[in-house]
Amino acid sequence: MNFKRTDLLATVSILIVVGLLGTVFLRRQQVRKASQQRISCVGNLKNNGLSFRVFANDHDNLYPMQIAAEQGGAREAVAAGQVWKVFQVLSNELSVPKTVICAADRDQRTPATNWTSFDNSNVSYFVGQDATDTNPEMLLAGDRNLALEGSLLSGAVSLNAGVLPAWTPDDIHRGRGNIGLADGSVQQVTSGMLRQHLTKTGDATNRVVFPQ
């Protein structure tokens, strides 16, 4: 009887250890996946930033957001919340539309297969409406999951000193986000770091447009 009880306790102990090891392994896999997604997102924003700069070199240092549609830009479209139009204008520089989707956002956003059947549902990033390469700290693009008092921001928004945006804790990068700046650099920031950065952009309004 004692032997059987000991055997049972040993079996239970083994099952507990196996369960714990499985939990640790799963957690490590989740952390690794999240890290890979953040790195992929940074790569996307760097590629997008380079595409913006290449475009600007051919358009008097202006980005699509500042150029009228009749001149090959997307000023009117982005003012109406059609963020996708900015990236469509950049299609020659971007080559493929997959770089405007964050890997961590694929549960809610679908990568487009071409630039023709393309809209806001294929875009993970906001764009800075007034970004210019002469002001390197301005927001050029970034993860779309910014919220104000728990509600996701949508359309045109001014992130001025009186606004306290925060990354949503359960979406995309789990309480953090990536922002691409007008100088082409990309930063991974917390909500607090983003708010601090908004005071250093040199722009009082920080107008950005989110894919609705």
Side-chain angles (χ1 to χ4, degrees), residues 161-211:
V163 176
L164 300 177
W167 304 108
T168 53
D170 300 321
D171 297 313
I172 305 184
H173 302 306
R174 308 292 180 178
R176 290 176 177 266
N178 295 320
I179 54 173
L181 305 183
D183 66 357
S185 66
V186 177
Q187 297 182 13
Q188 299 182 45
V189 296
T190 63
S191 298
M193 292 166 65
L194 173 63
R195 295 168 187 171
Q196 184 178 23
H197 183 82
L198 292 175
T199 67
K200 302 186 301 181
T201 63
D203 181 19
T205 58
N206 293 304
R207 294 195 305 167
V208 296
V209 185
F210 292 81

Side-chain angles (χ1 to χ4, degrees), residues 101-149:
I101 285 279
C102 173
D105 195 23
R106 293 197 176 193
D107 289 341
Q108 299 186 47
R109 300 281 154 150
T110 305
T113 57
N114 58 71
W115 293 108
T116 304
S117 55
F118 185 72
D119 58 30
N120 276 347
S121 67
N122 309 121
V123 178
S124 290
Y125 304 118
F126 67 75
V127 295
Q129 197 166 353
D130 304 312
T132 170
D133 62 357
T134 59
N135 195 343
E137 294 295 319
M138 291 183 73
L139 296 179
L140 178 59
D143 286 312
R144 67 176 182 82
N145 64 309
L146 269 177
L148 187 62
E149 297 181 350

Side-chain angles (χ1 to χ4, degrees), residues 7-23:
D7 193 41
L8 177 60
L9 289 173
T11 301
V12 172
S13 297
I14 290 172
L15 291 174
I16 291 173
V17 171
V18 170
L20 290 173
L21 290 175
T23 300

